[in-house]
Amino acid sequence: MIKVEHVSKHFIHTHALNDVSLNIEKGEIVSLIGPSGSGKSTLLRCIHGLEKPESGKVYLEGEEMDPSNEEKFRTQRKKMGFVFQHFNLFPNMTVLENCTLAQKEVISRSQEEAEEIALQYLDRVGLKEKKDEYPNKLSGGQKQRVAIARALCMNPEIMLFDEPTSALDPEMIKEVLEVMTDLAKEGMTMIVVTHEMGFARKVGSRVVFLDHGEIIEDADSESFFANPQSERAKDFLSKVFYQ
Ligand SMILES: Nc1ncnc2c1ncn2[C@@H]1O[C@H](COP(=O)(O)OP(=O)(O)O)[C@@H](O)[C@H]1O
Ligand SMILES: [Mg+2]
C-alpha cells in the first residue's frame, strides 16, 4: 500500500532521514519507534506529502506521489488520514463542524450527508453527545478522539498517527488507545509513531525502529520485543517502561 524508496531529507544542520526504504502492506499496523529526533515525524510527514523528500520516492498503491502532478497528488493525499499530537481541532467550531468541514470543502459532500457521516464516526469514538460542544470544553482524550473521528470521516485507506497520546494525561491515554485498537481490529492500515510500547507490542503487527534518520530494525512486533537485534534497540527498550 505504501512504498518508501531511498528517501532522504536534510534540514540545515541535520540529516533527518538517510536513505530510508520501507514497504507497508494493506492491513499492517506499523509502530514507528525510536529516540527523540530520530526522524519518525519527518518520515510520517514525507509519507503524507506534508514534507517533500529531497531524494527518493514515496508510492501509494503502486503510484508515485509527485507534488508536481498536483491533482493526482491531492487525490492521493485524501486517502491518508493524519492524527497529530496536539489534535489540531478548530477552536471556533463545534465538534460536529470540525468533523464536517473537510468533508464539504474537500470531497464536496452535502451538509446533510457530512453530518450523517460525522455522527456515525463520533458515535464510534463515544462522543456523539458532544457534537455541539466547542473543543475547549473537552478533555485532551476527548479532543483526540474527535480528531480521529474527523480523520475517519474522510474514509481514508490508511491512518497515520504522530504520537497521538503524548500530550495526554495518563488516565486519558487508554481511551484513545482503545479507539485505535478497535480501528486496528477492523483492518485499517495504520502507521503509528508512539512511545506506548504496550500498544506497539500487543496491537501493532510490526515495529520499525529508527535512529539518527535510519531504519535500524524492521521486524514483526513479537520478535522485536522478545529479541531486539541491535545494541541501539536494546538500549532504547531498556530505557522505556512497558509491559
Ligand atoms: N522543520 C525542521 N527544521 C529543521 N530541523 C528539523 C525540522 N523538522 C525536524 N528537524 C530535525 O530533524 C531531526 C528529526 O526530527 P523528527 O522527524 O521531528 O524526529 P522525531 O519525530 O523522531 O522526534 C531532528 O534533529 C529535528 O531537529
Ligand atoms: Mg516527532
Side-chain angles (χ1 to χ4, degrees):
M1 171 151 257
I2 298 272
K3 185 173 180 188
V4 175
E5 207 175 65
H6 300 296
V7 162
S8 293
K9 176 87 190 173
H10 279 89
F11 294 104
I12 300 168
H13 298 294
T14 26
H15 211 156
L17 291 177
N18 188 13
D19 195 22
V20 166
S21 295
L22 184 65
N23 260 315
I24 295 172
E25 305 289 337
K26 200 171 167 62
E28 279 195 291
I29 317 292
V30 179
S31 305
L32 217 52
I33 70 174
S36 175
S38 57
K40 306 179 296 295
S41 296
T42 306
L43 177 55
L44 211 59
R45 291 166 63 84
C46 283
I47 291 172
H48 193 223
L50 286 165
E51 202 86 71
K52 187 178 168 5
E54 65 219 19
S55 62
K57 286 175 179 164
V58 176
Y59 298 85
L60 177 66
E61 297 171 319
E63 304 208 36
E64 187 185 341
M65 291 192 51
D66 176 6
S68 61
N69 193 343
E70 276 177 42
E71 203 176 318
K72 184 168 176 194
F73 186 65
R74 258 201 307 274
T75 311
Q76 289 172 310
R77 295 197 62 214
K78 282 182 211 159
K79 296 183 181 179
M80 297 189 254
F82 201 104
V83 174
F84 302 87
Q85 182 177 356
H86 292 288
F87 331 123
N88 296 13
L89 297 178
F90 300 109
N92 56 332
M93 293 183 184
T94 64
V95 163
L96 188 63
E97 286 163 353
N98 264 281
C99 292
T100 53
L101 181 73
Q103 295 190 65
K104 293 186 288 179
E105 306 267 310
V106 181
I107 50 179
S108 309
R109 283 187 183 143
S110 67
Q111 176 71 24
E112 203 182 3
E113 191 186 4
E115 280 190 12
E116 190 184 323
I117 290 167
L119 289 173
Q120 179 190 323
Y121 284 109
L122 284 170
D123 194 26
R124 263 180 54 181
V125 302
L127 290 172
K128 197 173 170 183
E129 77 283 8
K130 300 284 186 194
K131 69 181 175 66
D132 297 320
E133 295 285 8
Y134 285 87
N136 66 1
K137 290 275 162 50
L138 305 180
S139 70
Q142 291 172 333
K143 284 182 207 169
Q144 194 59 299
R145 282 148 63 199
V146 171
I148 294 172
R150 177 178 64 176
L152 292 174
C153 284
M154 304 295 282
N155 306 113
E157 292 180 29
I158 177 163
M159 286 283 286
L160 313 177
F161 295 84
D162 195 353
E163 299 199 27
T165 59
S166 299
L168 300 179
D169 291 336
E171 71 270 23
M172 288 164 191
I173 292 178
K174 193 163 161 258
E175 68 191 49
V176 172
L177 291 180
E178 277 169 3
V179 166
M180 293 170 63
T181 302
D182 286 345
L183 258 187
K185 284 184 184 150
E186 287 159 21
M188 177 64 81
T189 310
M190 294 163 60
I191 311 180
V192 187
V193 175
T194 187
H195 296 293
E196 294 296 327
M197 295 301 134
F199 177 85
R201 182 171 201 164
K202 289 180 206 136
V203 182
S205 55
R206 178 173 161 200
V207 171
V208 171
F209 175 74
L210 280 169
D211 197 12
H212 295 295
E214 292 179 10
I215 294 181
I216 308 296
E217 296 202 29
D218 181 348
D220 68 87
S221 18
E222 261 326 297
S223 355
F224 177 81
F225 286 103
N227 192 16
Q229 299 293 305
S230 63
E231 284 310 313
R232 282 194 261 182
K234 286 179 197 168
D235 183 54
F236 177 77
L237 287 177
S238 73
K239 287 177 183 152
V240 291
F241 170 78
Y242 66 96
Q243 39 182 301

